[in-house]
Structures are given as structure tokens and as C-alpha cells.
Amino acid sequence: MPQAPLIATLVAGLGLAFILGTLANRLRLSPLVGYLVAGVLIGPFTPGFVADQALARQLAELGVILLMFGIGLHFSLNDLLSVRKIALPGAVGQMALVTMLGLLVTQAIGWPIGAGVVFGLALSVASTVVVLRALQEMRQLETDGGRIAVGWLVVEDLAMILALVLLPAFAGVLGGNVNGANLNGNDLFTLFEPQTIWSALGLTLGKLVAFFAIMVVVGRRVIPPILHYVAHTGSRELFRLAVLAIALGVAFGAAELFGVSFALGAFFAGMILAESQLSQRAAQETLPLRDAFAVLFFVSVGMLFNPMILVEQPLLVGVTFLIIVIGNATAASAIALMFGYPSHVALTLGLSLAQIGEFSFILAGLGVDLALLPEAGRDLVLAGAILSILVNPLLFAALDRLTPWLKARERTIATQEGKSEPPELAATSLTDHAVLVGHGRVGSLVAETLQKARQPYLVIEERQVIVEQLRARGVDVIAGNAAQPGLLEAANVASARWLISAIPNPFESGNLIEQAHAINPRLEIIARAHSDAEVDYLKKFGADLIIMGEREIARGISDHILSRIDAPAGPVADQSQNARQVDSKPMAG
């Protein structure tokens, strides 16, 4: 090992991840494949250079903190509370079902009950990093499935905190050896060595309640004012430093003082800051570091993997993989369907949870220390995690293509059952109006512009929480999916002036545009896109204007420069000040 293990780990991890990630992208695979393979190559189970595993894990934890902080900046407390009715019972139910599957498998191969409980529980907890990264890349984070998945992850995090505290107390009952555990080591989530089961449970719940109370009450009065003060100094460097200090400081303090995971602490810090007008700027400032350290998370996972397990125990690896992917996906999807959610939302949730990660490694390690889980069990958990993380992006890519078909099938079934015209589909009396599909971050800003211009408009929105908020404000709104039969007619698209598709999914937008154009060929249709391929796709269906974010930013900057070339210098300063004020406005969720 070189004299500078931190630098060596960073250079080897990031450098090899870049090379193999680029190669994977060239082969039309997810870059995650390259990152994981990079970790295997610099891990202790392959010849050559071996990076410092302890340092790699700590660096990876920074990526988890920054990622969760960034997600919190786009996720309000209302969003979290809106999914509590399914996230709380759903997460607990899914974890229980998958734990039972793991227990049955271990009983079949002769492992004791304690090993089966730890093994099954480790297979039931999804990786926060993988889920959020996949939802962001597929632009599913703002959908119903994405919001439920985030709430589900929060519940799983809380459940695992309790499990990690209670497992040592139950070790003797389950046939383990509590004296063999390193309870005072570097485990990030172990609070203390409990004396009794009830005292451990009571103290853990008390710390969680105290943490939530402090974040909601004190956090709102401390964190936003600090950032606003720093922003007024005009120093971008100080602002970036303040954001990082808050994210890392709250995460570390939550873990040390309240026994909350780094990820959960950072998530709540971001969620509190989301109420500030500076939330979008804070998210942009943390993006480069977040992406770099998130890569190190996958490299650190690869370092834990012993490839020989694939040769020595191929059958058990296959069964473990199936429990993780099929078991978690089926359990979560079935629970969502039982709660009345449509199939495309249920499938999004199921695929989000069809992999495991950081919590599973910690739990498996604690199980080995307590003599509950054999070494082979930890190897199986790691092998299953690697394989499930590799497959997850492929599943999401398939889901992106499958979603329009699922929604069409749901509409067909609803029509056959006579449910195609619920009370919400009463026709609007508006004419010469704008029909706005989606009231998320983009749609809400468009609606604000239409409101200020006194242009009549109607919103089509799937999320019932948003629908109720809009109705309370007196906005014309129809609840449902814009492509369902009868909905565009109820929105009076035939007499509308514009159709504005503010939803992020290009496949869904394409179907919507095609239907609207058939109803009103004179309708001006505006849509959003994220790439040139999506622009071409939407043009084929008849969109008149397609807005791509990067192009519009460049066009706005260019137009401003051209308009100021021959203008006096004085007003520019005023316009720059106005630009800073506009940029600091919050993007509605």
C-alpha cells in the first residue's frame, strides 16, 4: 500500500471506474456495471493493487449523504406525509414477506433460525443509492411511484435502525453469541449495547422522535436563515461551503446523537431546506461532488464481492438473486395493488425495491459478528446485491417502454367495467383556454405564468394531493391521466387554444399528443424533452413546439447578450440583479 492510502484509493477507484464505466456505456450497458467491476478489480479477492476498504466505505458514505440531501431538496414534508398510508404498512409488510422467504430457504439447507432471520431481513432492504439514482435517470422521481418509493425507503431505514439495535439483544434467543459482537466498533447505526430489549427499543424510539422534533421545529428556524445570510455575502465559494457543512454536519450529528443513519439525517436536512428559496441553488452546488462520491459507493460495493462464490455456490446465489429481485418486486407491487394503486405505479415501486445495498451489508456483518449468520451467508448477500444492482437499470429501461402499454390496458379495463367516466370527468365550460397536463416542478411554473397573464387554463393531474390543493385555490382541474378515454373531451380540447404537456415521460407524452391532435387538428401543442432523440420522437406525433432545457438556457443567454451589445452598461447591472432574484425562486414540487 502506498504512503498515501486516501489518494491511492481515490485515484484507483475513480480512475478505473471512469475507464470501465466508459467501456460499459460503449457496450450499451449501464455505467454502474463498470463501477462495480472496478471495485472487484481493486478489491482483496483479485490479484494486483488492493485499495483501502475502510477508506472506500467512508468516501462512499459521503456520496450517500449528498445524494439523500439532494433528494430531500426536491421532496417536501407534505410529499412524505401524503404517502404514509401505503409506505408504512407496505414497507413493513414487504420486509416481513421477503424475510419469510429467506428463512424458508435457509431452513431447507439446514441453517438455524437465527441465520434465516438475519439472511431474510438482509434481502428485504433496498439500496437507497440505487433506487434514487434509477428514479432520477428515468425521470420517475416526481411520479406517484417515485414518491411512494422514497417514503417506502424512509420507513425501511427506520425499521433497519431498530433491527440493528435489537439484534444484539435477541442474539442469545436466536442462538447467537452476543459477546462475540463488536458492538462498540465503527458500525454507523449501532447506538449502544442494550441492557434489555425493551430499554433498547424505548431509547431508540425516543431518539428518533427527538430527532424529528428538532429537525422540524429548530431546523426550520436555523438552517434556512444561515443559507440566506451566506447568499447575501455574494460569495459562491462560501455558499457552496455552507451547503456542504449543513448536509454533512446534520447527517453526522444525527448519527452520533440520535442513532439515525447518515442517509436519513441528510434527507431530512434537505427536506427542511426545500422550503427555502435557495433550495435549487443548493442542489446545483452539491451536484458535482454528489455524483463523484456516488460512484465510489458502487466501487466500494464491488470491493466486498468475492467472485469465487459464483463457482462454489451457484445454486444458492441464483436463489438469493431471485428472492431479491422477484420476491421484493412481487411483494411491493402486490401491496400497492391491494391499496388501489394502478399497475404502472405498482410496477414502478416493485422494480425500485428489487435490489439491496448498504443496509444489507451492515446487517450481514453484524449477523456474522453475533455468530448468527455464517460467513457463507454474508457472501451470498453480497453476491445477490451485486447481481441485483447490475440488473436493476435494465428493469427500469424495460419499465419505461412498458408504462404506456400498462396505462392503455388500465383504460381499456376501466372502460369494459363501466368506470371510464368518474365524477371528476364533468366537462369544463372553458373555451379558448390552455390545457396543462402535469402540475409538477415545470407545470406549476407554467401555471403561474398563465395565471399572471389572466389566460384561462385547466390542469390535468394524477396526484390527488395536488388536485385537492388546486381546487382549494379555485383552479379548474381534472383528476386522472390525460390519456384515459373521455378525459381530453372533458377538458374541452376541441375548443382549446393550447395543450401543454409538462410531464417528463416522452412515451406517455407521445400518446397524449396523438390523441389531442386527432380531436383538434388546429390545437397548438407544446411539450418538454430532455434529449434530441426525445425531440424527434415527439415531433412524429405532431407537437408544434418542443422545449429542451439546455437549448432554452443557451438561447436565453444568447438573446440577452445580443440585446445588450449596443446598450449602455448601466441597466445591465439592474438586469443581473433581477436574474439573481429569479434564479433564487423555488421550483414547486
Side-chain angles (χ1 to χ4, degrees):
M1 172 65 66
Q3 294 301 313
L6 174 61
I7 296 176
T9 301
L10 282 172
V11 171
L14 294 178
L16 201 55
F18 165 69
I19 295 172
L20 296 178
T22 303
L23 179 60
N25 186 67
R26 181 81 174 178
L27 297 174
R28 297 186 180 277
L29 298 173
S30 170
L32 296 185
V33 177
Y35 306 156
L36 291 168
V37 174
V40 174
L41 293 180
I42 62 174
F45 303 105
T46 53
F49 172 76
V50 177
D52 190 313
Q53 283 185 292
L55 281 176
R57 290 186 191 181
Q58 293 184 42
L59 292 172
E61 200 70 61
L62 289 175
V64 176
I65 291 172
L66 295 176
L67 178 67
M68 289 301 291
F69 181 72
I71 296 301
L73 288 172
H74 298 290
F75 205 87
S76 68
L77 185 60
N78 290 332
D79 288 332
L80 188 61
L81 294 176
S82 68
V83 299
R84 68 186 184 281
K85 292 182 179 179
I86 180 176
L88 181 58
V92 173
Q94 171 249 324
M95 292 177 70
L97 289 172
V98 175
T99 300
M100 287 299 299
L101 287 176
L103 180 59
L104 291 174
V105 170
T106 56
Q107 288 291 290
I109 61 177
W111 288 5
I113 292 179
V117 171
V118 175
F119 182 72
L121 197 57
L123 302 187
S124 69
V125 188
S127 167
T128 301
V129 179
V130 176
V131 172
L132 298 181
R133 194 179 182 92
L135 290 174
Q136 284 180 325
E137 289 181 354
M138 295 299 173
R139 295 182 293 279
Q140 296 282 336
L141 199 57
E142 296 179 17
T143 64
D144 282 342
R147 285 182 170 83
I148 295 172
V150 173
W152 202 291
L153 288 171
V154 171
V155 175
E156 285 193 345
D157 276 4
L158 294 174
M160 287 306 297
I161 291 170
L162 293 176
L164 289 166
V165 170
L166 295 177
L167 192 60
F170 277 101
V173 179
L174 295 173
N177 178 18
V178 70
N179 295 325
N182 182 19
L183 298 175
N184 297 318
N186 293 324
D187 193 333
L188 300 176
F189 304 103
T190 301
L191 299 176
F192 71 110
E193 184 175 356
Q195 301 300 319
T196 66
I197 293 173
W198 293 110
S199 65
L201 179 60
L203 185 56
T204 303
L205 292 175
K207 287 187 174 185
L208 290 174
V209 172
F211 168 71
F212 294 145
I214 289 176
M215 288 303 300
V216 172
V217 178
V218 179
R220 287 180 173 178
R221 299 182 179 182
V222 175
I223 295 178
I226 291 175
L227 274 189
H228 279 277
Y229 172 79
V230 176
H232 284 303
T233 66
S235 172
R236 182 175 181 180
E237 179 181 335
L238 282 177
F239 183 83
R240 183 184 294 117
L241 187 60
V243 172
L244 291 175
I246 290 172
L248 298 176
V250 171
F252 183 79
E256 289 294 315
L257 300 177
F258 301 101
V260 176
S261 68
F262 284 156
L264 197 60
F267 173 76
F268 273 92
M271 202 165 60
I272 295 301
L273 188 56
E275 301 178 13
S276 167
Q277 294 183 342
L278 298 168
S279 60
Q280 292 304 307
R281 183 178 170 188
Q284 293 171 358
E285 295 294 345
T286 59
L287 185 60
L289 279 175
R290 184 182 73 191
D291 288 344
F293 283 107
V295 168
L296 287 174
F297 166 79
F298 295 101
V299 173
S300 69
V301 171
M303 292 173 65
L304 297 172
F305 180 55
N306 183 0
M308 290 305 297
I309 190 70
L310 299 175
V311 179
E312 297 170 354
Q313 300 284 353
L315 181 59
L316 283 179
V317 169
V319 172
T320 302
F321 171 75
L322 291 177
I323 292 176
I324 294 171
V325 176
I326 306 299
N328 281 307
T330 303
S333 298
I335 291 172
L337 291 172
M338 288 172 57
F339 274 81
Y341 284 88
S343 57
H344 69 277
V345 173
L347 193 56
T348 299
L349 175 63
L351 295 185
S352 298
L353 304 173
Q355 38 65 42
I356 60 174
E358 55 274 18
F359 262 122
S360 302
F361 309 147
I362 296 171
L363 182 64
L366 181 60
V368 172
D369 290 340
L370 293 169
L372 287 171
L373 186 68
E375 293 280 353
R378 180 169 58 184
D379 292 339
L380 288 174
V381 170
L382 291 172
I386 294 286
L387 295 175
S388 65
I389 290 173
L390 290 175
V391 168
N392 200 249
L394 302 178
L395 297 177
F396 264 100
L399 173 65
D400 207 29
R401 296 279 183 175
L402 190 62
T403 297
W405 178 84
L406 287 174
K407 291 186 176 181
R409 181 174 176 274
E410 291 162 5
R411 293 193 298 268
T412 301
I413 294 175
T415 302
Q416 293 173 350
E417 295 179 353
K419 299 178 181 179
S420 58
E421 293 190 10
E424 291 87 354
L425 296 188
T428 181
S429 60
L430 294 176
T431 58
D432 199 33
H433 59 295
V435 177
L436 175 61
V437 182
H439 199 270
R441 294 174 57 202
V442 174
S444 60
L445 293 179
V446 175
E448 183 180 334
T449 300
L450 294 172
Q451 184 77 29
K452 290 180 179 178
R454 299 184 182 278
Q455 166 64 43
Y457 71 97
L458 177 144
V459 176
I460 299 176
E461 174 59 54
E462 288 187 279
R463 290 168 291 164
Q464 193 60 38
V465 174
I466 303 299
V467 170
E468 293 172 358
Q469 292 175 353
L470 292 173
R471 284 177 178 163
R473 288 162 42 194
V475 177
D476 286 319
V477 58
I478 297 179
N481 184 281
Q484 74 185 62
L487 199 143
L488 290 180
E489 288 80 359
N492 198 15
V493 167
S495 301
R497 184 174 180 182
W498 293 288
L499 174 74
I500 306 163
S501 177
I503 55 179
N505 191 318
F507 300 105
E508 188 175 342
S509 290
N511 293 336
L512 168 66
I513 291 169
E514 187 176 31
Q515 292 183 39
H517 199 267
I519 296 174
N520 184 356
R522 299 182 302 276
L523 184 70
E524 184 176 359
I525 299 176
I526 304 171
R528 60 184 286 198
H530 300 83
S531 66
D532 292 329
E534 291 182 7
V535 171
D536 295 337
Y537 179 82
L538 295 176
K539 278 183 179 178
K540 291 192 301 184
F541 287 94
D544 298 290
L545 175 63
I546 304 169
I547 306 297
M548 193 167 78
E550 291 79 0
R551 287 182 179 176
E552 293 308 308
I553 292 173
R555 182 178 299 171
I557 294 173
S558 301
D559 289 346
H560 176 76
I561 291 173
L562 291 175
S563 69
R564 304 305 304 172
I565 286 178
D566 298 323
V572 176
D574 295 333
Q575 291 192 11
S576 299
Q577 179 64 29
N578 292 335
R580 283 195 294 270
Q581 294 174 356
V582 171
D583 289 342
S584 67
K585 292 179 63 178
M587 298 282 281

